[in-house]
Amino acid sequence: MTLYPIETGNFKLDGGAMFGVVPKVLWQRTNPADDYNRIDMAARSLLIEDGKRLILIDTGLGNKQSEKFFSHYALWGDHSLERSLNAFGFSKNDITDVVFTHLHFDHCGGAIMQRPDGMLVPAFPNAHFWCHQDHWNWATNPNPREKASFLPENIRPIQESGQLQFLKGSDEELLNTPLGVDFLVVDGHTEKQLLPKLEYQDKTLLFAADLLPTAGHVPIPYVMGYDTRPLLTLEEKSLILQRAANENWCLFLEHDPRNEVITVQQTEKGVKLNQTHMFKNLFS
C-alpha cells in the first residue's frame, strides 16, 4: 500500500462558524482570520494505492459551481485535484473507487463535473462511488440546517451514474469492508460520517475529516457551529483523541492548510497537540 496526500484546492470559511461558541480571542491564536472573519481552509484528500485499487477519499469542492457561489468561499492558491493527481503520475480515469466521508459540498463536489453541453457527469468514469447508506438517506432528505450543504447538483448525478455503492452498519467501527479499509463511524457532525483508519508503515493513520478539521480544533470544546449534534461531537472527539494519544495514532487533517498530519498526547490537562508534520516527512 502507498498513500498520497491530494490537495484539491483552498478556500475560506467564517471562523466563528468553524469554532462555534469558542471566543475569537482564543481560536484566532491558531487560525487567524482575515478582515471578513474568514479563516484559511484546505480541501485535502487522501489517495490509497493498494494492488489494483486506487481509492480516493473525498474530492474537494470541484469547479462546476457559479462564480457567485465560489465568491462566498474566497478560493485561493493554485492547487487542484487533477494537478495533484498528475503530480503523482495518476489521472482521474485511473481511480477505481471514491469514498465520501460525507456529502457536504466541500467533500464531494469534485466527484461530478459539468461538460461543455451542460450535462453533469462523473469526473471519475471508471470508479465506484462509496457512501454510508444511512448517510445517503440523510443527505437526500436534508434537514433545514444542512440543506445548503447537500447540493442536488453534487448528489443526484452520483445516483444517476449507476456507480454508487453503499457501506452499511450502525456500529462505531466498520471492519473488513469490501474496500479493504476500516472506518470509524461518527454522528455528531452529520449522520454516519466515515473516518478511514489505515495501518501504514507501522503507524495507524486516521483520516479525521470534519471530526477534527484543523490542528486548532484539538481542544475538546472547540467544535464547529456546523455540527448537527455538538454534544455528541464532544463525546466522539474525546473518545477518539484519547485513543489516538494512547495508541500513538497519526491524524490526517483534511482542512488544515498548513498541517497535513498531527499527533496528540495525554497530559494532566487532557489530550493536547503533540507534533505537526508534513506527510512526506513523516512517511518516507
Side-chain angles (χ1 to χ4, degrees):
M1 179 191 294
T2 306
L3 303 182
Y4 309 90
I6 301 296
E7 301 287 351
T8 73
N10 296 326
F11 62 109
K12 292 177 181 284
L13 278 180
D14 182 81
M18 284 300 298
F19 285 93
V21 299
V22 178
K24 181 178 180 180
V25 68
L26 297 179
W27 59 253
Q28 70 176 355
R29 297 172 185 172
T30 57
N31 298 73
D34 66 11
D35 292 341
Y36 296 96
N37 207 48
R38 300 173 304 191
I39 64 171
D40 289 346
M41 299 279 286
R44 182 177 300 112
S45 300
L46 182 66
L47 185 65
I48 306 168
E49 184 181 21
D50 191 10
K52 295 182 179 180
R53 273 200 147 119
L54 200 60
I55 305 168
L56 184 66
I57 309 297
D58 282 349
T59 65
L61 288 79
N63 58 12
K64 66 181 176 295
Q65 307 296 339
S66 68
E67 184 176 342
K68 180 179 179 181
F69 176 89
F70 285 124
S71 71
H72 297 303
Y73 302 102
L75 304 187
W76 59 276
D78 58 2
H79 292 307
S80 77
L81 174 55
E82 190 163 13
R83 282 195 295 271
S84 192
L85 287 173
N86 291 346
F88 292 114
F90 302 112
S91 74
K92 291 180 178 179
N93 291 346
D94 297 325
I95 304 300
T96 62
D97 301 271
V98 174
V99 176
F100 302 115
T101 60
H102 59 296
L103 293 167
H104 289 167
F105 66 85
D106 55 319
H107 295 258
C108 73
I112 299 298
M113 65 180 187
Q114 187 171 41
R115 296 191 321 206
D117 63 4
M119 288 289 293
L120 296 174
V121 298
F124 305 94
N126 301 314
H128 291 299
F129 294 125
W130 295 87
C131 180
H132 195 290
Q133 186 171 41
D134 291 347
H135 180 71
W136 179 267
N137 296 336
W138 178 272
T140 52
N141 296 279
N143 59 77
R145 184 182 177 93
E146 288 183 278
K147 188 173 183 179
S149 294
F150 292 131
L151 304 182
E153 59 268 32
N154 287 335
I155 297 173
R156 186 181 63 251
I158 293 173
Q159 185 174 37
E160 294 172 348
S161 72
Q163 297 168 221
L164 179 61
Q165 302 284 328
F166 290 124
L167 295 168
K168 304 176 183 179
S170 58
D171 296 337
E172 294 178 355
E173 195 159 359
L174 299 182
L175 304 175
N176 304 314
T177 67
L179 291 162
V181 177
D182 295 337
F183 298 90
L184 301 186
V185 184
V186 290
D187 297 301
H189 178 61
T190 188
E191 181 75 9
K192 297 295 181 290
Q193 181 182 197
L194 297 173
L195 308 182
K197 184 165 74 73
L198 303 157
E199 300 302 319
Y200 185 57
Q201 295 187 8
D202 299 322
K203 296 181 177 67
T204 298
L205 181 71
L206 181 73
F207 188 99
D210 278 353
L211 179 75
L212 191 73
T214 76
H217 287 84
V218 168
I220 300 301
Y222 287 40
V223 169
M224 290 190 290
Y226 297 112
D227 288 9
T228 59
R229 306 178 184 102
L231 294 180
L232 181 56
T233 296
L234 288 174
E235 179 181 340
E236 293 169 337
K237 183 176 168 184
S238 179
L239 290 172
I240 289 175
L241 286 182
Q242 287 178 18
R243 190 174 173 189
N246 294 337
E247 300 178 21
N248 298 314
W249 289 3
C250 299
L251 304 174
F252 185 96
L253 301 182
E254 188 163 11
H255 287 312
D256 192 316
R258 286 168 288 276
N259 305 299
E260 294 180 343
V261 182
I262 64 170
T263 57
V264 294
Q265 61 183 337
Q266 191 70 250
T267 74
E268 293 180 354
K269 296 183 178 180
V271 176
K272 302 290 185 181
L273 178 67
N274 183 18
Q275 293 181 317
T276 63
H277 303 274
M278 297 302 291
F279 190 92
K280 66 181 180 181
N281 296 333
L282 186 60
F283 299 103
S284 56

